[in-house]
Amino acid sequence: MSTLPIAVIGAGPVGLAAAAHLAGRGLPFVVLEAGDRAAAAVREWGHVRLFSPWRYNIDTAAAKLLADAGWQRPDDDLLPTGAQLADDYLQPLADLPALRPHLRYGARVAAVTRAGLDRLRTAGRPDTPFLIRLTTGEDVLARAVIDASGTWYTPNVLGASGIPAHGEDSAEAYVGKALPDVLGRDRDRFAGRRVLVVGAGHSAANTLLSLAQLPGTPVTWAIRSGSPFRTYGGEADDALPARGALGSRLREHVESGAITLLTGFGVQRLTEVEDGVEVSDGRRSVVVDRIVSATGFRPDHRIVSELRLDLDPILGATRALAPLIDPNEHSCGTVPPHGVDELSQPEPGYYAIGVKSYGRAPTFLLATGYEQARSIVAALDGDWTAARDVRLDLPETGVCNSDPILSTDAGCCS
Ligand SMILES: Cc1cc2nc3c(=O)[nH]c(=O)nc-3n(C[C@H](O)[C@H](O)[C@H](O)COP(=O)(O)OP(=O)(O)OC[C@H]3O[C@@H](n4cnc5c(N)ncnc54)[C@H](O)[C@@H]3O)c2cc1C
């Protein structure tokens, strides 16, 4: 068992950070990535500029491996786009000789279990290898599993009740996922159309500001809460100036009437009509040509349904982590340091890290994920002192400190 590799699911920023820490400690590992190159999910929102500068976006173990190979670190104060994060940091990291031989692209994990044991069987469980089945049918054995598969591919639905709105499935031709490249490759789908953006997070704000730049494109913005205050965020007081500026610009567009804001609007029904799709909250309705669903993401626990997980019933994070990240109490900057103790499950050796570890909480930051990766890898190496010495230096923000959220469609990162 101890000669088996540690399996990392996902070669996103946090999975690759885990790989860098594993390589740094000389532990055997394999990274299983569904995409055909590193950072497949990040590349889907490659046109979006991050709100946190490079200094918060680079893992320490990764930086060391890259520096040793002669990598030029980007300017700590600049804000990369998703594409730059992937091309200038994550792909060079994945291509290092210390990582590349252990990375498998096109390896989508279908299920994780214990070899020969279903969830019911207790005897010998901690000493039984994990069995990871890929969608190709291949089985991979591992001594531990670090699940950094993210949440990008399981977006929330439009329906305000957490299940699809009436008619949502049959109206799918009108509905697109969060963060379309409105000013780039998706321009023709939006220019000159009536567009509705649903959601109150960073993704919605980004899309709204891009749409506002398209001439002759009427834009409506629907949020469940009674006020857009949370989306506007800390504005000039935000410790991440890029995020603050985003909120200010959005407020100006709403106040000038360039964007029509519908507050207290929970989508209940979508109906195809003669000239588009009618979206209703039961009291009011709007007819549009395109809908952008920016309602956030949720973790997909189905691939690990044969493991013993004890999840917080609200967020879907571990029970120990949930109160530390609860968006009713916390936002990005107020999340306390956490690591192996908060991320452990009843299933020994399985850890979800990265944005997946936060479940439905929309407050994840890369810096948090990198510290999770460092702590988990140290624990898997038996270095409990390092594993428990968790530290975080997160930027505080006006959003985070001033006002707990009133509804779950608001947050800093989704
Ligand atoms: C638009 C946007 C802007 C953001 N801006 C910031 C910011 O400025 N600062 C910040 O700190 N955070 C930001 N975040 C939040 C967060 O840091 C990112 O979402 C980040 O990509 C999370 O990293 P991850 O490695 O946990 O997951 P992901 O980046 O989603 O990576 C998961 C990887 O797992 C792979 N995968 C998925 N399922 C499987 C499977 N079954 N088998 C194998 N592989 C699989 C995917 O292909 C992907 O490569 C932002 C998020 C978004 C969406």
Side-chain angles (χ1 to χ4, degrees):
M1 168 99 162
S2 59
T3 58
L4 289 173
I6 292 162
V8 179
I9 307 177
V14 182
L16 287 173
H21 285 274
L22 288 160
R25 286 179 172 272
L27 296 171
F29 67 96
V30 58
V31 181
L32 304 168
E33 164 57 46
D36 58 5
R37 50 191 176 148
V42 171
R43 289 177 195 282
E44 292 207 13
W45 50 269
H47 55 286
V48 179
R49 196 164 290 285
L50 276 79
F51 50 77
S52 54
W54 275 111
R55 76 174 69 250
Y56 296 115
N57 303 332
I58 299 174
D59 171 72
T60 48
K64 181 170 181 330
L65 290 177
L66 282 162
D68 290 349
W71 175 71
Q72 276 290 319
R73 187 183 171 100
D75 184 335
D76 268 346
D77 295 323
L78 293 182
L79 302 167
T81 60
Q84 288 167 333
L85 186 74
D87 290 340
D88 299 348
Y89 164 51
L90 296 168
Q91 194 66 55
L93 174 63
D95 291 342
L96 288 175
L99 266 65
R100 184 65 193 93
H102 312 282
L103 250 154
R104 292 187 54 186
Y105 295 121
R108 179 176 294 281
V109 172
V112 184
T113 183
R114 295 274 186 182
L117 302 182
D118 64 13
R119 201 164 77 188
L120 202 64
R121 295 280 298 277
T122 299
R125 202 167 180 86
D127 302 317
T128 302
F130 286 94
L131 183 157
I132 301 162
R133 178 151 305 165
L134 306 184
T135 49
T136 54
E138 183 190 348
D139 288 344
V140 177
L141 295 180
R143 82 160 165 100
V145 175
I146 298 177
D147 183 352
S149 60
T151 55
W152 178 255
Y153 299 103
T154 41
N156 285 328
V157 292
L158 277 174
S161 310
I163 57 174
H166 292 292
E168 185 169 338
D169 293 339
S170 41
E172 73 178 349
Y174 297 91
V175 184
K177 67 193 287 191
L179 292 163
D181 188 1
V182 168
L183 300 174
R185 64 170 186 264
D186 300 318
R187 189 185 183 101
D188 290 350
R189 282 180 47 223
F190 293 100
R193 318 275 176 159
R194 298 161 298 175
V195 185
L196 172 68
V197 177
V198 181
H202 184 70
S203 303
N206 245 296
T207 301
L208 286 161
L209 289 175
S210 297
L211 287 166
Q213 292 180 54
L214 287 181
T217 304
V219 182
T220 306
W221 177 28
I223 57 174
R224 279 187 297 186
S225 59
S227 152
F229 175 75
R230 286 285 306 178
T231 313
Y232 298 156
E235 300 200 46
D237 295 332
D238 199 314
L240 289 173
R243 188 170 47 195
L246 195 81
S248 299
R249 278 165 53 214
L250 182 58
R251 182 172 52 74
E252 283 161 22
H253 281 299
V254 171
E255 287 175 1
S256 74
I259 292 173
T260 305
L261 172 63
L262 298 173
T263 57
F265 193 100
V267 176
Q268 301 295 342
R269 184 175 293 277
L270 278 69
T271 314
E272 193 170 0
V273 291
E274 203 178 331
D275 62 338
V277 60
E278 181 178 50
V279 185
S280 160
D281 75 343
R283 294 177 297 136
R284 296 161 291 173
S285 66
V286 53
V287 175
V288 293
D289 305 301
R290 297 273 181 270
I291 303 168
V292 178
S293 178
T295 51
F297 302 88
R298 53 181 66 176
D300 184 358
H301 296 300
R302 285 171 302 184
I303 60 169
V304 287
S305 61
E306 270 314 295
L307 300 181
R308 296 180 175 182
L309 304 188
D310 185 24
L311 296 168
D312 174 76
I314 300 171
L315 292 182
T318 63
R319 283 182 196 262
L321 180 59
L324 308 183
I325 59 171
D326 183 348
N328 296 288
E329 303 285 340
H330 288 283
S331 192
C332 319
T334 64
V335 170
H338 61 270
V340 65
D341 289 327
E342 291 79 10
L343 295 167
S344 293
Q345 287 285 357
E347 188 72 60
Y350 170 80
Y351 303 96
I353 65 170
V355 66
K356 183 170 185 175
S357 71
Y358 271 38
R360 295 196 190 188
T363 47
F364 178 78
L365 286 178
L366 288 170
T368 325
Y370 296 156
E371 184 59 1
Q372 295 176 337
R374 190 201 59 76
S375 172
I376 297 297
V377 171
L380 290 171
D381 197 21
D383 183 354
W384 287 96
T385 308
R388 295 204 158 115
D389 182 21
V390 281
R391 295 157 192 231
L392 265 184
D393 176 22
L394 290 177
E396 294 199 352
T397 78
V399 172
C400 301
N401 296 339
S402 58
D403 187 25
I405 69 163
L406 302 173
S407 80
T408 53
D409 61 358
C412 65
C413 311
S414 61

PDB file of all heavy atoms in Angstrom, residues 77-97:
ATOM      1  N   ASP A  77       2.402  42.437  -8.430  1.00  0.00           N
ATOM      2  CA  ASP A  77       1.287  43.378  -8.274  1.00  0.00           C
ATOM      3  C   ASP A  77       0.319  43.381  -9.448  1.00  0.00           C
ATOM      4  O   ASP A  77      -0.729  44.018  -9.387  1.00  0.00           O
ATOM      5  CB  ASP A  77       1.827  44.804  -8.066  1.00  0.00           C
ATOM      6  CG  ASP A  77       2.586  44.905  -6.751  1.00  0.00           C
ATOM      7  OD1 ASP A  77       2.157  44.256  -5.776  1.00  0.00           O
ATOM      8  OD2 ASP A  77       3.629  45.593  -6.718  1.00  0.00           O
ATOM      9  N   LEU A  78       0.660  42.684 -10.527  1.00  0.00           N
ATOM     10  CA  LEU A  78      -0.229  42.693 -11.699  1.00  0.00           C
ATOM     11  C   LEU A  78      -1.357  41.683 -11.542  1.00  0.00           C
ATOM     12  O   LEU A  78      -1.228  40.681 -10.833  1.00  0.00           O
ATOM     13  CB  LEU A  78       0.562  42.381 -12.970  1.00  0.00           C
ATOM     14  CG  LEU A  78       1.584  43.442 -13.395  1.00  0.00           C
ATOM     15  CD1 LEU A  78       2.264  43.022 -14.694  1.00  0.00           C
ATOM     16  CD2 LEU A  78       0.921  44.808 -13.556  1.00  0.00           C
ATOM     17  N   LEU A  79      -2.457  41.965 -12.228  1.00  0.00           N
ATOM     18  CA  LEU A  79      -3.623  41.065 -12.188  1.00  0.00           C
ATOM     19  C   LEU A  79      -3.648  40.241 -13.465  1.00  0.00           C
ATOM     20  O   LEU A  79      -3.849  40.797 -14.549  1.00  0.00           O
ATOM     21  CB  LEU A  79      -4.915  41.888 -12.118  1.00  0.00           C
ATOM     22  CG  LEU A  79      -5.056  42.851 -10.952  1.00  0.00           C
ATOM     23  CD1 LEU A  79      -6.219  43.800 -11.188  1.00  0.00           C
ATOM     24  CD2 LEU A  79      -5.289  42.071  -9.661  1.00  0.00           C
ATOM     25  N   PRO A  80      -3.470  38.937 -13.393  1.00  0.00           N
ATOM     26  CA  PRO A  80      -3.508  38.131 -14.615  1.00  0.00           C
ATOM     27  C   PRO A  80      -4.949  37.866 -15.058  1.00  0.00           C
ATOM     28  O   PRO A  80      -5.881  37.928 -14.254  1.00  0.00           O
ATOM     29  CB  PRO A  80      -2.855  36.814 -14.183  1.00  0.00           C
ATOM     30  CG  PRO A  80      -3.178  36.710 -12.718  1.00  0.00           C
ATOM     31  CD  PRO A  80      -3.232  38.135 -12.193  1.00  0.00           C
ATOM     32  N   THR A  81      -5.111  37.548 -16.336  1.00  0.00           N
ATOM     33  CA  THR A  81      -6.375  36.955 -16.775  1.00  0.00           C
ATOM     34  C   THR A  81      -6.302  35.453 -16.468  1.00  0.00           C
ATOM     35  O   THR A  81      -5.222  34.924 -16.171  1.00  0.00           O
ATOM     36  CB  THR A  81      -6.581  37.144 -18.285  1.00  0.00           C
ATOM     37  OG1 THR A  81      -5.490  36.489 -18.956  1.00  0.00           O
ATOM     38  CG2 THR A  81      -6.637  38.613 -18.668  1.00  0.00           C
ATOM     39  N   GLY A  82      -7.418  34.776 -16.606  1.00  0.00           N
ATOM     40  CA  GLY A  82      -7.400  33.321 -16.434  1.00  0.00           C
ATOM     41  C   GLY A  82      -6.434  32.675 -17.419  1.00  0.00           C
ATOM     42  O   GLY A  82      -5.708  31.739 -17.074  1.00  0.00           O
ATOM     43  N   ALA A  83      -6.423  33.186 -18.663  1.00  0.00           N
ATOM     44  CA  ALA A  83      -5.524  32.619 -19.683  1.00  0.00           C
ATOM     45  C   ALA A  83      -4.069  32.806 -19.279  1.00  0.00           C
ATOM     46  O   ALA A  83      -3.240  31.909 -19.470  1.00  0.00           O
ATOM     47  CB  ALA A  83      -5.793  33.272 -21.037  1.00  0.00           C
ATOM     48  N   GLN A  84      -3.759  33.977 -18.716  1.00  0.00           N
ATOM     49  CA  GLN A  84      -2.367  34.209 -18.279  1.00  0.00           C
ATOM     50  C   GLN A  84      -2.017  33.316 -17.089  1.00  0.00           C
ATOM     51  O   GLN A  84      -0.900  32.820 -16.992  1.00  0.00           O
ATOM     52  CB  GLN A  84      -2.167  35.686 -17.923  1.00  0.00           C
ATOM     53  CG  GLN A  84      -2.154  36.578 -19.163  1.00  0.00           C
ATOM     54  CD  GLN A  84      -2.286  38.054 -18.822  1.00  0.00           C
ATOM     55  OE1 GLN A  84      -2.853  38.430 -17.798  1.00  0.00           O
ATOM     56  NE2 GLN A  84      -1.774  38.898 -19.705  1.00  0.00           N
ATOM     57  N   LEU A  85      -2.974  33.133 -16.194  1.00  0.00           N
ATOM     58  CA  LEU A  85      -2.720  32.232 -15.060  1.00  0.00           C
ATOM     59  C   LEU A  85      -2.360  30.839 -15.584  1.00  0.00           C
ATOM     60  O   LEU A  85      -1.431  30.183 -15.099  1.00  0.00           O
ATOM     61  CB  LEU A  85      -3.972  32.160 -14.168  1.00  0.00           C
ATOM     62  CG  LEU A  85      -3.834  31.374 -12.878  1.00  0.00           C
ATOM     63  CD1 LEU A  85      -3.008  32.146 -11.853  1.00  0.00           C
ATOM     64  CD2 LEU A  85      -5.218  31.064 -12.276  1.00  0.00           C
ATOM     65  N   ALA A  86      -3.108  30.397 -16.607  1.00  0.00           N
ATOM     66  CA  ALA A  86      -2.863  29.073 -17.181  1.00  0.00           C
ATOM     67  C   ALA A  86      -1.554  29.026 -17.974  1.00  0.00           C
ATOM     68  O   ALA A  86      -0.734  28.125 -17.782  1.00  0.00           O
ATOM     69  CB  ALA A  86      -4.038  28.674 -18.071  1.00  0.00           C
ATOM     70  N   ASP A  87      -1.346  30.018 -18.854  1.00  0.00           N
ATOM     71  CA  ASP A  87      -0.192  29.959 -19.782  1.00  0.00           C
ATOM     72  C   ASP A  87       1.131  30.346 -19.123  1.00  0.00           C
ATOM     73  O   ASP A  87       2.179  29.807 -19.481  1.00  0.00           O
ATOM     74  CB  ASP A  87      -0.430  30.891 -20.973  1.00  0.00           C
ATOM     75  CG  ASP A  87      -1.514  30.373 -21.896  1.00  0.00           C
ATOM     76  OD1 ASP A  87      -1.804  29.161 -21.839  1.00  0.00           O
ATOM     77  OD2 ASP A  87      -2.098  31.164 -22.642  1.00  0.00           O
ATOM     78  N   ASP A  88       1.080  31.318 -18.196  1.00  0.00           N
ATOM     79  CA  ASP A  88       2.331  31.859 -17.657  1.00  0.00           C
ATOM     80  C   ASP A  88       2.747  31.202 -16.350  1.00  0.00           C
ATOM     81  O   ASP A  88       3.852  31.417 -15.870  1.00  0.00           O
ATOM     82  CB  ASP A  88       2.200  33.382 -17.429  1.00  0.00           C
ATOM     83  CG  ASP A  88       1.913  34.116 -18.724  1.00  0.00           C
ATOM     84  OD1 ASP A  88       2.045  33.499 -19.792  1.00  0.00           O
ATOM     85  OD2 ASP A  88       1.536  35.303 -18.669  1.00  0.00           O
ATOM     86  N   TYR A  89       1.846  30.440 -15.745  1.00  0.00           N
ATOM     87  CA  TYR A  89       2.182  29.809 -14.456  1.00  0.00           C
ATOM     88  C   TYR A  89       1.819  28.319 -14.443  1.00  0.00           C
ATOM     89  O   TYR A  89       2.685  27.460 -14.234  1.00  0.00           O
ATOM     90  CB  TYR A  89       1.473  30.577 -13.323  1.00  0.00           C
ATOM     91  CG  TYR A  89       1.399  29.854 -11.998  1.00  0.00           C
ATOM     92  CD1 TYR A  89       2.544  29.305 -11.412  1.00  0.00           C
ATOM     93  CD2 TYR A  89       0.184  29.719 -11.327  1.00  0.00           C
ATOM     94  CE1 TYR A  89       2.472  28.635 -10.190  1.00  0.00           C
ATOM     95  CE2 TYR A  89       0.104  29.064 -10.111  1.00  0.00           C
ATOM     96  CZ  TYR A  89       1.247  28.513  -9.551  1.00  0.00           C
ATOM     97  OH  TYR A  89       1.177  27.841  -8.358  1.00  0.00           O
ATOM     98  N   LEU A  90       0.554  27.996 -14.697  1.00  0.00           N
ATOM     99  CA  LEU A  90       0.118  26.614 -14.458  1.00  0.00           C
ATOM    100  C   LEU A  90       0.673  25.627 -15.486  1.00  0.00           C
ATOM    101  O   LEU A  90       1.128  24.535 -15.115  1.00  0.00           O
ATOM    102  CB  LEU A  90      -1.416  26.555 -14.399  1.00  0.00           C
ATOM    103  CG  LEU A  90      -1.991  27.351 -13.221  1.00  0.00           C
ATOM    104  CD1 LEU A  90      -3.495  27.522 -13.348  1.00  0.00           C
ATOM    105  CD2 LEU A  90      -1.642  26.676 -11.899  1.00  0.00           C
ATOM    106  N   GLN A  91       0.663  26.019 -16.783  1.00  0.00           N
ATOM    107  CA  GLN A  91       1.191  25.076 -17.770  1.00  0.00           C
ATOM    108  C   GLN A  91       2.708  24.889 -17.622  1.00  0.00           C
ATOM    109  O   GLN A  91       3.181  23.739 -17.632  1.00  0.00           O
ATOM    110  CB  GLN A  91       0.829  25.520 -19.200  1.00  0.00           C
ATOM    111  CG  GLN A  91       1.039  24.431 -20.248  1.00  0.00           C
ATOM    112  CD  GLN A  91       0.086  23.247 -20.039  1.00  0.00           C
ATOM    113  OE1 GLN A  91      -1.120  23.421 -19.993  1.00  0.00           O
ATOM    114  NE2 GLN A  91       0.631  22.034 -19.892  1.00  0.00           N
ATOM    115  N   PRO A  92       3.484  25.994 -17.421  1.00  0.00           N
ATOM    116  CA  PRO A  92       4.925  25.776 -17.157  1.00  0.00           C
ATOM    117  C   PRO A  92       5.161  24.890 -15.933  1.00  0.00           C
ATOM    118  O   PRO A  92       6.080  24.054 -15.931  1.00  0.00           O
ATOM    119  CB  PRO A  92       5.461  27.198 -16.911  1.00  0.00           C
ATOM    120  CG  PRO A  92       4.514  28.095 -17.642  1.00  0.00           C
ATOM    121  CD  PRO A  92       3.166  27.441 -17.568  1.00  0.00           C
ATOM    122  N   LEU A  93       4.323  25.033 -14.911  1.00  0.00           N
ATOM    123  CA  LEU A  93       4.455  24.181 -13.720  1.00  0.00           C
ATOM    124  C   LEU A  93       4.191  22.718 -14.085  1.00  0.00           C
ATOM    125  O   LEU A  93       4.970  21.817 -13.742  1.00  0.00           O
ATOM    126  CB  LEU A  93       3.463  24.669 -12.651  1.00  0.00           C
ATOM    127  CG  LEU A  93       3.333  23.829 -11.386  1.00  0.00           C
ATOM    128  CD1 LEU A  93       4.655  23.788 -10.624  1.00  0.00           C
ATOM    129  CD2 LEU A  93       2.221  24.392 -10.479  1.00  0.00           C
ATOM    130  N   ALA A  94       3.100  22.498 -14.808  1.00  0.00           N
ATOM    131  CA  ALA A  94       2.737  21.126 -15.195  1.00  0.00           C
ATOM    132  C   ALA A  94       3.790  20.491 -16.096  1.00  0.00           C
ATOM    133  O   ALA A  94       3.965  19.264 -16.097  1.00  0.00           O
ATOM    134  CB  ALA A  94       1.381  21.130 -15.894  1.00  0.00           C
ATOM    135  N   ASP A  95       4.502  21.332 -16.865  1.00  0.00           N
ATOM    136  CA  ASP A  95       5.493  20.814 -17.816  1.00  0.00           C
ATOM    137  C   ASP A  95       6.863  20.545 -17.194  1.00  0.00           C
ATOM    138  O   ASP A  95       7.758  20.029 -17.873  1.00  0.00           O
ATOM    139  CB  ASP A  95       5.666  21.804 -18.986  1.00  0.00           C
ATOM    140  CG  ASP A  95       4.422  21.845 -19.875  1.00  0.00           C
ATOM    141  OD1 ASP A  95       3.604  20.901 -19.798  1.00  0.00           O
ATOM    142  OD2 ASP A  95       4.262  22.819 -20.625  1.00  0.00           O
ATOM    143  N   LEU A  96       7.048  20.913 -15.924  1.00  0.00           N
ATOM    144  CA  LEU A  96       8.339  20.670 -15.277  1.00  0.00           C
ATOM    145  C   LEU A  96       8.654  19.171 -15.232  1.00  0.00           C
ATOM    146  O   LEU A  96       7.737  18.356 -15.014  1.00  0.00           O
ATOM    147  CB  LEU A  96       8.325  21.201 -13.839  1.00  0.00           C
ATOM    148  CG  LEU A  96       8.351  22.718 -13.653  1.00  0.00           C
ATOM    149  CD1 LEU A  96       8.213  23.055 -12.165  1.00  0.00           C
ATOM    150  CD2 LEU A  96       9.633  23.314 -14.216  1.00  0.00           C
ATOM    151  N   PRO A  97       9.899  18.802 -15.360  1.00  0.00           N
ATOM    152  CA  PRO A  97      10.245  17.368 -15.288  1.00  0.00           C
ATOM    153  C   PRO A  97       9.811  16.715 -13.969  1.00  0.00           C
ATOM    154  O   PRO A  97       9.551  15.513 -13.926  1.00  0.00           O
ATOM    155  CB  PRO A  97      11.777  17.371 -15.409  1.00  0.00           C
ATOM    156  CG  PRO A  97      12.128  18.670 -16.042  1.00  0.00           C
ATOM    157  CD  PRO A  97      11.073  19.656 -15.671  1.00  0.00           C
TER     158      PRO A  97
END
